[in-house]
Amino acid sequence: MVRETRLSPDMLIYPLFVRAGRGIRQAVPSMPGVFQLSLDTVVSEAKEALDLGIPAVILFGLPEKKDERGSEAYAPDGVVQKAVRTIKDRCPDLVVITDVCLCEYTSHGHCGVLQGHEVDNDPTLDILARIAVSHAQAGADIVAPSDMMDGRVRAIRERLDEEGFAHTAVMAYSAKYCSAFYGPFREAAESAPQFGDRRSYQMDPPNAREALREIQLDIEEGADIIMVKPALAYLDIIRRVREEFDWPVAAYNVSGEYAMIKAAAANGWIDERRAMMEVLTAIRRAGADLIITYFAKDAARLLSSS
Ligand SMILES: [Zn+2]
């Protein structure tokens, strides 16, 4: 009765990895319980999440082929576009969020088009806007740019409005740090950069005030939801963002944070359920309204049974 922080399934967002094909449910070794799914299996997974009271999924795509400019990312019949259509058709009440980025689609694995070995910001914006529109056309409720290019929220917002998608919301990865905790995701999404790292566009972990500036800019550009990523090593950032801005705050409980608990639990070194709930509660206590987590289904099950 006097508990200050509560968790419920309706604040969770469940990430899904989708690839072409049928009947695929391919385990991601570094993330036990996480699978690369095909169009049919992703729908059953999405439906299961909805039935557990989870209101939203976020989709990441694995294209059939990659190229320099990541052209499959905005193809009308791309894997994410098809998945959105199928999921919205079968589960109209589920909020479908799509990751808008190029790193899963480019042959070099960077989040934008390259000029030499540097990501070229401005031509990338045009492509990101095209991706967002293609997702909205497929039926996505929210697009989530994760690239950290300057000006991408405005570019996406303007293009969505021009194309008649004023009601499609933007969840911006506003404070995305250059983190070691993304490692397992890159295995799941097959998106590790082929050279260098993402330091030139992701944030430097020691900086906190810079996160507030980035968030301010994204809000001015039209973001509807702002995000801090990763969550656990950045709880102070979530707290500061919560205090500073009256905007919905999402936090991404990333792959490495998930993998650590899974690995320790598999060795019998930690109580997985308790650790999971403690972590999700901490993210919530820090001030997040929404938590993107691979634990979503497990947590929802536990919350509805307790
Ligand atoms: Zn990216």
Side-chain angles (χ1 to χ4, degrees):
M1 196 164 72
V2 294
R3 186 170 278 177
E4 294 175 25
T5 305
R6 288 166 200 276
L7 265 182
S8 74
D10 64 9
M11 50 190 70
L12 305 177
I13 299 172
Y14 187 39
L16 294 172
F17 298 95
V18 60
R19 64 183 319 153
R22 283 196 65 77
I24 298 171
R25 201 176 160 81
Q26 191 181 327
V28 177
S30 57
M31 299 171 74
V34 174
F35 301 86
Q36 293 179 354
L37 303 162
S38 49
L39 289 166
D40 49 341
T41 52
V42 83
V43 171
S44 26
E45 194 74 15
K47 193 168 178 319
E48 199 184 334
L50 184 64
D51 291 343
L52 285 164
I54 298 161
V57 294
I58 180 165
L59 301 180
F60 297 91
L62 292 99
E64 287 190 87
K65 56 180 191 327
K66 305 189 182 211
D67 59 35
E68 283 279 296
R69 298 178 60 82
S71 54
E72 205 174 313
Y74 49 86
D77 61 348
V79 67
V80 164
Q81 290 81 353
K82 281 186 188 162
V84 172
R85 272 189 217 102
T86 322
I87 293 172
K88 287 306 283 187
D89 185 46
R90 296 274 304 278
C91 313
D93 293 336
L94 186 67
V95 173
V96 175
I97 308 172
T98 54
D99 176 65
V100 172
C101 200
L102 279 166
C103 50
E104 292 136 43
Y105 300 88
T106 50
S107 43
H108 44 74
H110 279 278
C111 304
V113 289
L114 296 182
Q115 177 76 265
H117 268 196
E118 296 289 328
V119 172
D120 202 349
N121 194 91
D122 293 0
T124 301
L125 298 185
D126 178 59
I127 301 181
L128 294 172
R130 286 178 69 175
I131 300 173
V133 168
S134 75
H135 290 173
Q137 282 167 339
D141 302 289
I142 303 177
V143 294
S146 59
D147 52 282
M148 289 298 280
M149 298 297 132
D150 292 330
R152 87 274 200 230
V153 173
R154 175 169 288 126
I156 288 170
R157 183 71 270 159
E158 283 177 357
R159 192 77 63 87
L160 284 172
D161 292 350
E162 283 164 22
E163 302 284 337
F165 296 104
H167 296 297
T168 307
V170 176
M171 177 167 80
Y173 287 65
S174 303
K176 182 177 181 179
Y177 285 89
C178 188
S179 170
F181 290 98
Y182 303 151
F185 175 93
R186 290 174 185 168
E187 181 184 51
E190 299 173 3
S191 65
Q194 297 303 302
F195 60 85
D197 54 36
R198 299 190 173 114
R199 239 170 256 271
S200 67
Y201 42 99
Q202 294 180 348
M203 287 184 46
D204 196 19
N207 289 4
R209 292 189 301 267
E210 186 185 357
L212 303 181
R213 280 204 305 281
E214 292 282 355
I215 283 168
Q216 180 71 51
L217 286 170
D218 280 358
I219 288 174
E220 285 165 11
E221 291 183 21
D224 300 282
I225 301 169
I226 49 183
M227 193 202 298
V228 175
K229 180 184 178 185
L232 281 190
Y234 301 87
L235 292 173
D236 60 317
I237 308 293
I238 298 172
R239 164 56 48 186
R240 287 178 73 160
V241 168
R242 170 73 295 148
E243 282 170 359
E244 203 84 17
F245 301 99
D246 195 8
W247 235 250
V249 176
Y252 203 138
N253 176 213
V254 300
S255 59
E257 299 168 352
Y258 175 83
M260 287 193 300
I261 290 180
K262 284 286 182 183
N267 279 292
W269 297 337
I270 203 169
D271 179 331
E272 178 175 339
R273 287 178 163 194
R274 283 186 57 198
M276 166 181 80
M277 294 315 269
E278 193 171 329
V279 156
L280 295 175
T281 302
I283 297 169
R284 175 83 181 140
R285 194 184 62 232
D289 301 292
L290 304 166
I291 306 173
I292 303 169
T293 179
Y294 303 97
F295 285 120
K297 283 200 315 182
D298 291 347
R301 262 188 220 107
L302 210 57
L303 287 165
S304 49
S305 70
S306 59

